[in-house]
Amino acid sequence: MIGLLAALAAIAVAVAFMRDLLVVAMLSSIFSFACCALFVLFDAPDVAFTEACIGAGVSTVLTLAALRLTGRQERRSGRPATAIAAMVATVCGLALVYGSLDLPRFGDPRAPANGHVAPHYLTRSEGEIGIPNVVTSVLGSYRGYDTLGETVVVFTAALGVLLLIGGAQARPGKRGEAPARADRDVVLRAIATLFVPMTLFLAPYVQFHGAYSPGGGFQAGAILGGALILYGLVFGVERLNRLVPEAVLRVIATLGVLTYGGTGLVTLALGKGFLDYDAFGTRPVGQQIGLTVIELGVFMTVGAVMTLLFQRFAGRGEA
Amino acid sequence: MKDLVGLFPYWAVALLMMTGLYIVIAQGNLVKKLIGLGIFQVSVFVLYIAMGVVSGGTPPILETGFVTYSNPLPSVLILTAIVVGVATLAVGLALAVRIRESFGTVEEDELLPLTEPEAPADAEPHA
């Protein structure tokens, strides 16, 4: 653990001093991977899973695609802000360390954070929801409101990107030359042909096995998006657009949010609270039906949005 | 001193956070700022997850034979936050791309003069 934390710190400092943004993007991907390992050590495999797909995968690809449009070299400038920034960061850091003195020690089972609702989830969820993965139970049922909110935020962010870099370009530039490249990279293509179908199969597995092992709609959606992005990277974004047109993805993303929100309305119509899955039957069956439906909604939105974002960035010509 | 060993993970998080903050303030390139913000964000994730660890515990997936589990709540909050994080990163990158298309640069130093009101330049011919 100490080694991983030290590695994280070293990468973060390297990011601060590197000027080649391509290197910085790759370093931040490695940073995410080191964090994954840390999350596994910290007993949070669900989070590690998500960080691996999203932080190390999708984020990096999006950053690289954006760098293609904004330029990879950071300009060196004698900014007077550097000294001030270092001072602000040091003072804040020391304040945080001072504040940490009052924190319960790492791993303390009696820490307030581990009291309150956490024991309830751990002891009662098996009877109330009937699935072993407590993270999935809390995500979908006990805190279904939060998750609905997060899904809507993801959807809204996609809307924002579509509005910002959707439609016609102000100054249309030369189109990306990605498709021609596929003929050269034989090895890449062979590997992608092998990996894309396997990854596509992994997504539904992660989706439906999420109740028993780490996984669920967010991870499965990210894996689906990752598989399609890999396809687009190797075979060209034009072919990806033909495989899954943007209009279809927009509809799927919207349907995902509507499925989730609609589930809440249906439970209301059946005389229970918003997103109270007891409306679908006695515990735990009703809860499980509700969970399956909303996880499907999350899967649709996240998967479609991840692919859509990549298509938008990669499909845009250089200005 | 032995009492303080249990705080090391939090101190490491503070160091990571401050590196991220430093990048956001000190570096002029907008994409670099976003990456710095990402580092700040991930260190917050590490803080949350570290708080939920119970020593001797296992991941919160119920199984006969285990009694002690780590806290599932931070996992739930953070795994959704990661997905939201990439979505907001995309919005930031889209803004950077648009800025580059409109102004030809994503360096703060070069952008700031461009965004200042052009009144003085216009005013002189009229005067």
Side-chain angles (χ1 to χ4, degrees), chain A residues 20-42:
Chain A
D20 186 343
L21 293 174
L22 194 67
V23 177
V24 168
M26 296 322 289
L27 278 176
S28 78
S29 176
I30 299 170
F31 186 83
S32 284
F33 261 123
C35 276
C36 284
L38 199 60
F39 291 147
V40 173
L41 281 182
F42 285 175

Side-chain angles (χ1 to χ4, degrees), chain B residues 20-127:
Chain B
L21 183 68
Y22 171 81
I23 296 173
V24 172
I25 304 175
Q27 315 264 332
N29 187 296
L30 295 181
V31 178
K32 184 84 172 274
K33 275 181 195 284
L34 283 170
I35 292 174
L37 207 57
I39 287 182
F40 191 102
Q41 177 176 263
V42 171
S43 52
V44 174
F45 297 163
V46 175
L47 176 71
Y48 264 68
I49 298 297
M51 293 239 174
V53 177
V54 174
S55 25
T58 59
I61 296 171
L62 304 175
E63 191 71 53
T64 46
F66 295 100
V67 198
T68 315
Y69 296 100
S70 284
N71 193 343
L73 199 52
S75 294
V76 174
L77 299 177
I78 297 312
L79 93 80
T80 52
I82 291 174
V83 182
V84 170
V86 73
T88 47
L89 170 77
V91 176
L93 289 173
L95 279 171
V97 167
R98 287 291 286 118
I99 288 171
R100 159 81 186 206
E101 283 174 5
S102 298
F103 297 102
T105 176
V106 286
E107 299 288 336
E108 202 176 48
D109 299 346
E110 296 162 20
L111 279 171
L112 285 178
L114 293 176
T115 52
E116 266 161 26
E118 290 169 17
D122 284 345
E124 273 179 29
H126 291 291

Side-chain angles (χ1 to χ4, degrees), chain A residues 1-2 5 8-9 12-13 15-19 21 24-25 28 31-32 35 38-39 42-47 50-51 54-55 58-59 62-63 66-67 69-71 73-75 77 79 81-82 85-86 88-90 92-93 96-97 100-101 103-109 111 113-114 117-118 121-122 125-126 131-135 138-139 143 146-147 150 153-154 157-158 160-161 164-165 169-171 212-214 218-219 302 306 309 313 316-317 319, chain B residues 1-36 38-64 67-110 112:
Chain A
M1 184 178 83
I2 300 288
L5 285 170
L8 283 177
V13 172
V15 166
F17 289 105
M18 291 301 254
R19 303 242 152 223
L21 293 174
V24 168
S28 78
F31 186 83
S32 284
C35 276
L38 199 60
F39 291 147
F42 285 175
D43 293 339
D46 278 286
V47 181
T50 320
E51 181 69 32
I54 303 269
V58 179
S59 297
L62 289 184
T63 312
L67 280 180
L69 300 171
T70 61
Q73 204 65 34
E74 184 188 8
R75 234 155 273 156
S77 55
R79 287 167 63 82
T82 315
V88 169
T90 314
C92 280
L96 283 176
V97 168
S100 78
L101 294 177
L103 282 177
R105 301 305 183 250
F106 178 78
D108 185 358
N114 296 331
V117 288
Y121 295 150
L122 287 169
S125 74
E126 188 128 52
I131 58 170
N133 188 350
V134 185
V135 174
V138 178
L139 182 101
R143 301 197 64 127
D146 294 19
T147 311
E150 313 267 17
V153 170
V154 171
V161 171
L164 279 168
I165 57 170
Q169 235 167 306
R171 279 187 295 164
Y212 302 95
S213 58
F218 283 99
Q219 292 92 329
V302 173
M306 293 303 138
L309 293 177
F313 279 101
R316 198 163 180 85
Chain B
M1 186 61 211
K2 207 177 173 193
D3 185 44
L4 294 179
V5 172
L7 292 175
F8 282 177
Y10 303 136
W11 293 352
V13 166
L15 176 67
L16 293 179
M17 263 187 210
M18 288 312 119
T19 315
L21 183 68
Y22 171 81
I23 296 173
V24 172
I25 304 175
Q27 315 264 332
N29 187 296
L30 295 181
V31 178
K32 184 84 172 274
K33 275 181 195 284
L34 283 170
I35 292 174
I39 287 182
F40 191 102
Q41 177 176 263
V42 171
S43 52
V44 174
F45 297 163
V46 175
L47 176 71
Y48 264 68
I49 298 297
M51 293 239 174
V53 177
V54 174
S55 25
T58 59
I61 296 171
L62 304 175
E63 191 71 53
T64 46
V67 198
T68 315
Y69 296 100
S70 284
N71 193 343
L73 199 52
S75 294
V76 174
L77 299 177
I78 297 312
L79 93 80
T80 52
I82 291 174
V83 182
V84 170
V86 73
T88 47
L89 170 77
V91 176
L93 289 173
L95 279 171
V97 167
R98 287 291 286 118
I99 288 171
R100 159 81 186 206
E101 283 174 5
S102 298
F103 297 102
T105 176
V106 286
E107 299 288 336
E108 202 176 48
D109 299 346
E110 296 162 20
L112 285 178

Side-chain angles (χ1 to χ4, degrees), chain A residues 91-263:
Chain A
V91 171
C92 280
L94 290 177
L96 283 176
V97 168
Y98 177 70
S100 78
L101 294 177
D102 286 337
L103 282 177
R105 301 305 183 250
F106 178 78
D108 185 358
R110 286 163 297 129
N114 296 331
H116 199 46
V117 288
H120 175 99
Y121 295 150
L122 287 169
T123 51
R124 309 274 294 281
S125 74
E126 188 128 52
E128 289 177 345
I129 317 280
I131 58 170
N133 188 350
V134 185
V135 174
T136 305
S137 308
V138 178
L139 182 101
S141 188
Y142 293 109
R143 301 197 64 127
Y145 278 37
D146 294 19
T147 311
L148 175 61
E150 313 267 17
T151 314
V152 173
V153 170
V154 171
F155 178 72
T156 315
L159 277 186
V161 171
L162 287 183
L163 286 174
L164 279 168
I165 57 170
Q169 235 167 306
R171 279 187 295 164
K174 51 183 192 293
R175 285 271 145 197
E177 72 284 22
R181 215 175 272 165
D183 301 329
R184 290 210 314 265
D185 301 331
V186 180
V187 176
L188 263 185
R189 239 176 1 157
I191 292 176
T193 317
L194 197 66
F195 271 94
V196 171
M198 289 202 313
T199 320
L200 283 176
F201 266 111
L202 181 65
Y205 170 78
V206 169
Q207 170 80 14
F208 294 114
H209 213 262
Y212 302 95
S213 58
F218 283 99
Q219 292 92 329
I223 291 173
L224 178 78
L228 292 174
I229 288 173
L230 177 64
Y231 180 84
L233 279 177
V234 177
F235 296 103
V237 72
E238 257 105 72
R239 275 182 73 174
L240 176 64
N241 287 343
R242 253 177 289 149
L243 184 73
V244 274
E246 204 188 287
V248 174
L249 289 175
R250 277 191 234 171
V251 172
I252 294 177
T254 317
L255 278 180
V257 175
L258 287 178
T259 307
Y260 201 147
T263 310

